[in-house]
Amino acid sequence: MTTAASHGLRTLAPVERGGGIGRRAAVGGLGVGAAMGWNIAALGAVATRLAHAYGVGLATIGLFTTVQFVVHMAMQIPGGRAADRFGARNTAFVGLAIVSLGNAVALPAAHPTLGFLGRALVGLGTGFAFIAGSDYIRARGGTPFLQGLYGGASVLAPGLALAIVPVLADHVGFRAPYLSGIAVAAICAVLLAFAPPAARAVRHAGERLDSGFFRDPLLYRLSAIHAASFGFSVIIGNWVVTLLERHGHSKGVAAAAGSLTLLLGFFTRVAGGSLLRRQDASRWVATSLVVAGLGAIALALPLPLAGLVAAAAVVGLASGVPFAMAFTGAAAARPDSPGAAVGFVNGWAALAIVAGAPLVGLTFSLPGDGRIGFVVLGVLAAVAALATPRR
């Protein structure tokens, strides 16, 4: 049997507008992405309050998120494979249920053991549901534009969490991120319940991934552009506040600049989906990676405040463009296992975050007080442009 891998370095065919996903399916699928984004960011919105409630340092609260992200990373391919075998909608329901369970585990008391166990379960749930939500949109005939909108929902929701969870914490204390995570997951599960099911990609539960799956060059190229865009933007967003504060800027300005590196990606993830209809889409994606890299390097320069804020905005805008190509391209590259392919690509971005965030943190102890890390990220993002698949 001829497999997708046998074609070597393939090009991505132009994407047509088409697609008949339907309103209920679109809302249900997009809701999954929003719920996952919320649950990834909710703790960070009240990290200091949580540290006081748990009686630990901020580093321990940071480890809560690290545990969640490590489990999330490990579940990317298994979660995608589950969507292929049992249906994306079913898998998304399971993921939403596990996310709710993880948040519920942490509710009874501010005890670190409950916190760690709860975040591990949340990471398990997001690992299942995030890929399943994307695959559901694909399986229902969603366009690349909708894939971009799915990615946009997953970065817009964290921005809303940063604004809403602190207000909720004034009333319910340390339970705010957990209660809000359960509520958002429940609402999105209801939306998904009214959406139609999606077909499975694999008909026999015992089937394994094709032997060429892990040797597919196109998957690695798509992984590179996704890791260098989404992965690096998360790392930059985590450290740009510290960088700007260390170099004399106020906490408020630094926080505002940091939010731009993620929130602005909402607009360009959506736009990136529309770009895939163009014959020159690959050129735009490659250019966006170079521009994002230049923005990261600019953040390491002694620029005026306006220039640094503009650089943060450039990183946020440029980093959103490759998302739709990475997810749509992965699913198209492996029609025998589209969910697993998307999970593979997203897993590399998660690995970049897990490994890259502490490494950039270490550069704050080197000459330049963190600037070296931003320059390295910028150079790597620009180099990753060479991996953009040809159209």
Side-chain angles (χ1 to χ4, degrees), residues 72-95:
H72 174 85
M73 175 188 69
M75 289 306 301
Q76 293 303 290
I77 293 179
R81 191 60 175 161
D84 292 334
R85 294 169 63 181
F86 307 116
R89 182 169 171 266
N90 293 336
T91 303
F93 273 128
V94 171

Side-chain angles (χ1 to χ4, degrees), residues 54 100 102-110 114 174-180 182:
Y54 281 88
S100 297
N103 282 306
V105 164
L107 280 177
L114 293 178
F174 81 93
R175 294 180 175 86
Y178 310 129
L179 288 172
S180 65
I182 293 171

Side-chain angles (χ1 to χ4, degrees), residues 143-164:
T143 62
F145 171 81
L146 273 175
Q147 284 290 352
L149 192 58
Y150 180 82
S154 70
V155 295
L156 182 61
L160 295 175
L162 291 174
I164 295 173

Side-chain angles (χ1 to χ4, degrees), residues 58 60 66 69 93 105 120 160 168 189 226 229 240 242 302 360 363 377 382:
L58 280 173
T60 300
T66 299
F69 232 98
F93 273 128
V105 164
L160 295 175
L168 183 61
H226 186 51
S229 53
V240 69
T242 303
V360 172
T363 67
L377 287 178

Side-chain angles (χ1 to χ4, degrees), residues 326-344:
F327 273 39
T328 301
R334 307 298 308 190
D336 54 325
S337 49
V342 173
F344 180 87

Side-chain angles (χ1 to χ4, degrees), residues 298-383:
L299 286 169
L301 301 177
L303 299 175
L305 178 59
L308 293 171
V309 172
V314 165
V315 170
L317 288 169
S319 296
V321 175
F323 180 88
M325 174 177 279
F327 273 39
T328 301
R334 307 298 308 190
D336 54 325
S337 49
V342 173
F344 180 87
V345 168
N346 202 49
W348 282 100
L351 178 61
I353 294 167
V354 170
L359 288 175
V360 172
L362 287 176
T363 67
F364 281 89
S365 62
L366 300 176
D369 206 8
R371 285 173 168 158
I372 291 175
F374 278 66
V375 171
V376 171
L377 287 178
V379 171
L380 290 176
V383 171

